[in-house]
C-alpha cells in the first residue's frame, strides 16, 4: 500500500482534537475488554471441560478460535477503517463484540462455544485495528502521543494478565458464563458514547481491502493450528497431520507471494525493509507464544493438580500482572532513549528466564515455586508490550498507522495461536504418555474397561489433573489414591515439559532478534555511508 496516498478528512481537525482524553478512555476500555477476553477464559476452562466433557482439542480452540480471526483479518479491518472511517469501524466492532459475548453466555456445546468465540474474534479485530490509529489522530503531538500510548500499553498489559484474576472471581461467584455476560453492559455503554462523542478520523476512499490475502493468511493459520492440535491424537506421521502442515505451508507461502504482486496488499512490505522491523516482529510473536500461551496451562494446573478454586488460581497469577504493571509505564517513558536493538532482546530474555524458572516443579513443591518466574516474566511482558506498541508507529506514516499497528497485532495473535497449540500439544502428549505408563504399574488395572482408561488418560491430557479421579466408578474406589498419584505425577511432568519448551522457544527468539538487529544495524550503516555528503576537499 502506498504511503503517499491522499487522505480526505471527514471531520474538522479541531473537532478531532477536542476530546483526546475521551477518545483515550473509550479506546482503553475497548482494548481492555478484547485483551481480557483473550485470557479470561483460562479461569473458566476447567468448568467448561466439565460442563461439555470437552477434549484438549476443544479447550485449545476456545482460545485459538478467538486468536486466529484476530490474526487473519486484523490487517483487513485496519485498511477498511482507513478507507471508511475508524470511528465507524470502532462502533461496528463494539456492536459485534457485545452481541457475540451475549450469545456465548448461552452456548450449549463446545462446538457452538468455539464458533461463537471465532465471531467474537472477528469483532475484536475491528476494535484492535482502529485503537492506535484513533489515538494517533487524537494526539498529534509526539510527546502527548507517547504518554497516551504508554497508558494504552499499560492497560493492554494489565488486561492481558488480569484475565485469570477477573475470570476467577466471576467463575467462582457466578459461573463461567458470567465472563461473557459482563461484556454486554460495558459494550453497550462504550458503543453509545462512541456514537455520540467520538470524532471521525481521516479517511482514504481510494484504499481497497486485500480479501484474498486475508483468506490465505487465515487459512494457513487454521491449517497449522489444526495440525498441532491433532498431532497428539493422530500422530505426526498421520496423513491428516502431514496434509494439514503441507496445506499451511502452501497457503502461507501463497500469502507472501500475493503480497508482492497485489495492487492493494494486506501488508506493506516496505515496512519489513526498515531497520528493526524483523527483530520487533520476532519478539512480538515469541512473547505471546511462550509466557502468554503458557499462562493458560498454568491456570489449568493450579486448578486441576494443586486444587485451587478459579478465584484462588487467579490471585496466584498476580505476580505476572504485578511485573507487567511495573514495567509497562516505566518502559514507555524510557523507550525513546533506548534502541530497539537493546530493549527488545533484553526484555525477551526476561520472559525466557521466567519460563525457565517456572520449570522443574517438584512433587513436593507449592504454588510459590512459580512466583519468581512469573514476576520476572511479567516484567518482560509489560516492557515488550510498551516497546512494541510505540515501535509499531515508527514503521509507517501516520496515514498507514492502522496497517502498522494491525501488523504487530496480527503477529501477536499468531504467536498466541501457535503457542496455545504447540505448548498444548507438548503438555497433552507428555501427560497422556506418563498417565498410560503410571496406570500400567497399578495392580489390577487390567480389570478396568478400556473406555474408562481412555477417558482417564484424555482427561489428564486436557489439564484436568486429579479432578479426573472424581469420575472414577465406585467399584474402583480402592484405587483412587493410586490414580490420584498417577494424575498428579503426569500433570507435573507435563507442566515441566511445557515450561522447558517455552524457555527454548524464548532463547531461540532472543538469539534471532539479536542477529536480525545486528544485520539491520550493519545495513543501515552501509546505507548511511553511501548517502553521506562528500566532505569539501582541503585547500
Amino acid at each position: 500500500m502506498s504511503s503517499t496516498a491522499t487522505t480526505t478528512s471527514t471531520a474538522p481537525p479541531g473537532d478531532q482534537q477536542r476530546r483526546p482524553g475521551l477518545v483515550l478512555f473509550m479506546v482503553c476500555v475497548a482494548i481492555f475488554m478484547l485483551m481480557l477476553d483473550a485470557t479470561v477464559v483460562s479461569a473458566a476452562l476447567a468448568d467448561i471441560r466439565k460442563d461439555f466433557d470437552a477434549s484438549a482439542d476443544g479447550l485449545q480452540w476456545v482460545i485459538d478460535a478467538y486468536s486466529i480471526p484476530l490474526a487473519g483479518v486484523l490487517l483487513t479491518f485496519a485498511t477498511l477503517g482507513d478507507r471508511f472511517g475508524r470511528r465507524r469501524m470502532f462502533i461496528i466492532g463494539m456492536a459485534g463484540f457485545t452481541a457475540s459475548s451475549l450469545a456465548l453466555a448461552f452456548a450449549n456445546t463446545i462446538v457452538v462455544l468455539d464458533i461463537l468465540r471465532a465471531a467474537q474474534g472477528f469483532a475484536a479485530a475491528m476494535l484492535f485495528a482502529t485503537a492506535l490509529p484513533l489515538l494517533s489522530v487524537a494526539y498529534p503531538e509526539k510527546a502527548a502521543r507517547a504518554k497516551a500510548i504508554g497508558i494504552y500499553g499499560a492497560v493492554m498489559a494489565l488486561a492481558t494478565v488480569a484475565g485469570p484474576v477477573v475470570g476467577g472471581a466471576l467463575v467462582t461467584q457466578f459461573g463461567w458464563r458470567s465472563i461473557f455476560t459482563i461484556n454486554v453492559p460495558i459494550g453497550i455503554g462504550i458503543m453509545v458514547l462512541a456514537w455520540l462523542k467520538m470524532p471521525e478520523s481521516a479517511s482514504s476512499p481510494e484504499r481497497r481491502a486485500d480479501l484474498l490475502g486475508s483468506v490465505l493468511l487465515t487459512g494457513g493459520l487454521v491449517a497449522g493450528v489444526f495440525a498441532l492440535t491433532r498431532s497428539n491424537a493422530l500422530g505426526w506421521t498421520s496423513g491428516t497431520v502431514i496434509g494439514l502442515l503441507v496445506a499451511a505451508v502452501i497457503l502461507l507461502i501463497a500469502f507472501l507471494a500475493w503480497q508482492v504482486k497485489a495492487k492493494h496488499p494486506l501488508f506493506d512490505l516496505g515496512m519489513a525493509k526498515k531497520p528493526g522491523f524483523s527483530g520487533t516482529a520476532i519478539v512480538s510473536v515469541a512473547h505471546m507464544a511462550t509466557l502468554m500461551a503458557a499462562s493458560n496451562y498454568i491456570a489449568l494446573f493450579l486448578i486441576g493438580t494443586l486444587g485451587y478454586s478459579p478465584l484462588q488460581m487467579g490471585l496466584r497469577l498476580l505476580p505476572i500482572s504485578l511485573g507487567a504493571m511495573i514495567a509497562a509505564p516505566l518502559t514507555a517513558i524510557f523507550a525513546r532513549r533506548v534502541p530497539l536493538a537493546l530493549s527488545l532482546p533484553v526484555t525477551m530474555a526476561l520472559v525466557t528466564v521466567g519460563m525457565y524458572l517456572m520449570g522443574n516443579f517438584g512433587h513436593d513443591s507449592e504454588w510459590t515455586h512459580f512466583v519468581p518466574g512469573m514476576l520476572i516474566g511479567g516484567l518482560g511482558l509489560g516492557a515488550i508490550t510498551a516497546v512494541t506498541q510505540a515501535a509499531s508507529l515508527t514503521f509507517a506514516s501516520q496515514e498507514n498507522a492502522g496497517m502498522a499497528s494491525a501488523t504487530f497485532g496480527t503477529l501477536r495473535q499468531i504467536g498466541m495461536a501457535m503457542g496455545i497449540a504447540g505448548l498444548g500439544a507438548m503438555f497433552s502428549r507428555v501427560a497422556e504418555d506418563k498417565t498410560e505408563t503410571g496406570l500400567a504399574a497399578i495392580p489390577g488395572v487390567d480389570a478396568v474397561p478400556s473406555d474408562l482408561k481412555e477417558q482417564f488418560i484424555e482427561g489428564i491430557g486436557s489439564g484436568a489433573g486429579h479432578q479426573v479421579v472424581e469420575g472414577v466408578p465406585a467399584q474402583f474406589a480402592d484405587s483412587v489414591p493410586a490414580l490420584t498419584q498417577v494424575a498428579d505425577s503426569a500433570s507435573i511432568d507435563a507442566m515441566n515439559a511445557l515450561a522447558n519448551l517455552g524457555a527454548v522457544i524464548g532463547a531461540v527468539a532472543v538469539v534471532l532478534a539479536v542477529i536480525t538487529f545486528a544485520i539491520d544495524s550493519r545495513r543501515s550503516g552501509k546505507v548511511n555511508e553511501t548517502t553521506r555528503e562528500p566532505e569539501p576537499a582541503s585547500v
Side-chain angles (χ1 to χ4, degrees), residues 59-97:
L59 292 179
Q60 288 173 24
W61 278 106
V62 173
I63 302 168
D64 279 348
Y66 183 83
S67 296
I68 289 177
L70 260 175
V73 300
L74 188 53
L75 284 161
T76 295
F77 285 136
T79 302
L80 292 175
D82 290 345
R83 181 182 179 192
F84 295 111
R86 294 157 187 167
R87 170 184 174 271
R88 183 179 302 168
M89 185 66 68
F90 182 91
I91 293 172
I92 294 172
M94 185 58 73
F97 192 88

Side-chain angles (χ1 to χ4, degrees), residues 436-450:
E436 193 169 359
T437 302
L439 287 177
I442 298 177
V445 75
D446 293 339
V448 179
S450 59

Side-chain angles (χ1 to χ4, degrees), residues 195-237:
W195 180 271
L196 296 175
K197 299 293 185 180
M198 179 177 283
E200 185 57 278
S201 64
S203 62
S204 301
E206 73 283 355
R207 294 197 171 183
R208 297 291 183 270
D210 181 12
L211 297 179
L212 177 58
S214 289
V215 171
L216 292 172
L217 177 59
T218 304
L221 292 175
V222 169
V225 169
F226 258 122
L228 290 173
T229 57
R230 297 303 296 158
S231 63
N232 282 328
L234 303 178
W236 284 103
T237 59

Side-chain angles (χ1 to χ4, degrees), residues 422-448:
L423 296 183
M426 171 64 78
F427 184 96
S428 296
R429 172 52 58 197
V430 173
E432 291 177 2
D433 287 348
K434 296 292 184 180
T435 301
E436 193 169 359
T437 302
L439 287 177
I442 298 177
V445 75
D446 293 339
V448 179

Side-chain angles (χ1 to χ4, degrees), residues 32-52:
F32 188 89
M33 287 176 62
L34 74 91
M35 293 307 297
L36 190 73
D37 269 51
T39 56
V40 72
V41 294
S42 63
L45 290 176
D47 284 3
I48 291 173
R49 182 191 60 79
K50 287 182 181 179
D51 282 4
F52 295 147

